[in-house]
Amino acid sequence: MNSSAVTIIAFFFIAIGAATAYFLDQPVIGGALILIGVVLGLALRTCAEWERAVVLFLGRFAGVRGPGLYFLIPAFENVYTVVDTRRQSTRISAEDTLTADAVSVTMDSIMFWRVQDVKRAATELTDYRNMIAQVAQTSLREVISATTLNDILANREAMDEKLQALIRKKSEGWGIGDIAVEIRDVKIPPELNDAMSRNAQAEKEKQARVTLASAEVAIAEQIASASHIYASNPVALQIRQMGLIYDMNKDRGVTILVPTGMANALGASIALNVNNPDAPPPVVAPSFTPAAPGSVPNA
């Protein structure tokens, strides 16, 4: 590949040779310099850091040149092609492909690769870019056909590895390596998408009900444990009742009257008299009635 630097170098020698022949009257030296300039213009080439030139000598492979400056034998050697050795990406897709469980899906993925063996890629393949893309597309269809929809949606990393291994196996010996594949998107039919959404919603509702039932079981176990404690300690039960009454009425501004021990004792005495009618009546103190004026009080 020619560059501006090569053109400048060739023009420099040609200009020096012409000036030598004309001004110094040295046609031999000037002609030699002009010839050198012409040869450099025809033989000198350059390649960028990431490029490699495949050179043929009379139609046969002569070597890989570059990067930087390299020379060709004029009229005998020529550059067949220049190969880019940088890491490249190729988009691959498979539309309306049936999975193992007979579901039509469309999958979009991307493949990363680069040329490792320039000679093989240039001399053994007619179009290495197109061929690796075709192999990747057919491999993607094969992997989809051998995988169920649930596996595709749930485990993309495993499918990436399977697809990557298949592409490497098919392209072995092509001089292409560092192959990596990543699935970008998976599209399914709209009606199946709705059914899967309803299924997922039902599954979430089932999990919520199971969680609620587990909470009810835990609450029942705690209540049963508390009942044993209250049965053995009535004071604790009374304190708990008072706490519940307070919690129910603390925000309402209600005055709560709690019976004391004296009220309980009076209630017990009244209940005793009612239950024993033969008991002697309670002693009542005699009342004092004042005498009328002028009368004599009885002794």
Side-chain angles (χ1 to χ4, degrees):
M1 181 177 64
N2 289 319
S3 66
S4 58
V6 174
T7 303
I8 292 174
I9 293 173
F11 179 77
F12 175 77
F13 276 93
I14 293 174
I16 293 296
T20 302
Y22 182 77
F23 293 105
L24 300 179
D25 196 16
Q26 297 289 336
V28 177
I29 298 176
L33 292 176
I34 293 174
L35 180 62
I36 292 173
V38 173
V39 171
L40 288 178
L42 296 175
L44 193 61
R45 298 289 186 272
T46 60
C47 276
E49 179 65 29
W50 57 87
E51 293 177 337
R52 300 294 184 272
V54 179
V55 179
L56 301 180
F57 180 82
L58 297 178
R60 298 180 61 87
F61 178 76
V64 178
R65 311 286 173 82
L69 288 171
Y70 63 93
F71 290 91
L72 298 176
I73 301 176
F76 291 95
E77 291 183 340
N78 67 294
V79 177
Y80 168 66
T81 186
V82 177
V83 178
D84 192 334
T85 60
R86 292 177 294 182
R87 194 173 181 84
Q88 303 182 50
S89 63
T90 301
R91 181 178 175 181
I92 54 178
S93 61
E95 298 181 357
D96 298 331
T97 305
L98 292 179
T99 62
D101 50 354
V103 178
S104 177
V105 299
T106 298
M107 184 176 296
D108 187 15
S109 59
I110 187 169
M111 178 181 63
F112 301 95
W113 57 279
R114 75 180 184 89
V115 177
Q116 290 183 330
D117 191 333
V118 177
K119 177 183 177 182
R120 284 189 172 184
T123 61
E124 297 182 11
L125 305 178
T126 56
D127 186 356
Y128 63 90
R129 295 177 185 271
N130 185 50
M131 291 182 66
I132 192 64
Q134 294 295 331
V135 165
Q137 187 170 14
T138 56
S139 300
L140 178 60
R141 291 182 177 274
E142 292 179 9
V143 171
I144 293 174
S145 300
T147 310
T148 62
L149 179 61
N150 290 333
D151 292 338
I152 294 175
L153 298 178
N155 197 356
R156 290 192 180 184
E157 293 182 358
M159 188 171 180
D160 289 343
E161 294 176 358
K162 187 185 300 184
L163 179 58
Q164 178 177 316
L166 185 59
I167 295 174
R168 286 181 176 179
K169 182 179 179 180
K170 290 184 176 182
S171 62
E172 185 177 2
W174 288 7
I176 297 175
D178 289 346
I179 297 175
V181 182
E182 293 184 4
I183 296 176
R184 299 176 57 187
D185 189 21
V186 178
K187 297 180 181 180
I188 60 178
E191 57 274 10
L192 182 59
N193 193 8
D194 294 339
M196 293 179 64
S197 298
R198 291 194 298 269
N199 187 21
Q201 184 178 359
E203 188 66 24
K204 292 297 182 182
E205 185 176 355
K206 174 185 174 181
Q207 294 178 1
R209 291 187 177 184
V210 170
T211 303
L212 181 60
S214 300
E216 291 291 342
V217 171
I219 293 172
E221 292 176 353
Q222 294 294 329
I223 292 175
S225 178
S227 66
H228 292 296
I229 298 175
Y230 291 145
S232 61
N233 193 344
V235 176
L237 178 59
Q238 293 178 2
I239 294 175
R240 178 57 180 161
Q241 290 173 347
M242 294 176 63
L244 290 174
I245 294 173
Y246 174 75
D247 291 337
M248 289 187 297
N249 298 280
K250 63 181 181 180
D251 296 331
R252 302 179 183 178
V254 178
T255 301
I256 303 173
L257 299 178
V258 180
T260 62
M262 182 181 294
N264 293 334
L266 290 176
S269 175
I270 294 172
L272 181 62
N273 290 332
V274 171
N275 293 330
N276 299 300
D278 295 334
V283 179
V284 180
S287 60
F288 175 76
T289 303
S295 63
V296 179
N298 295 324

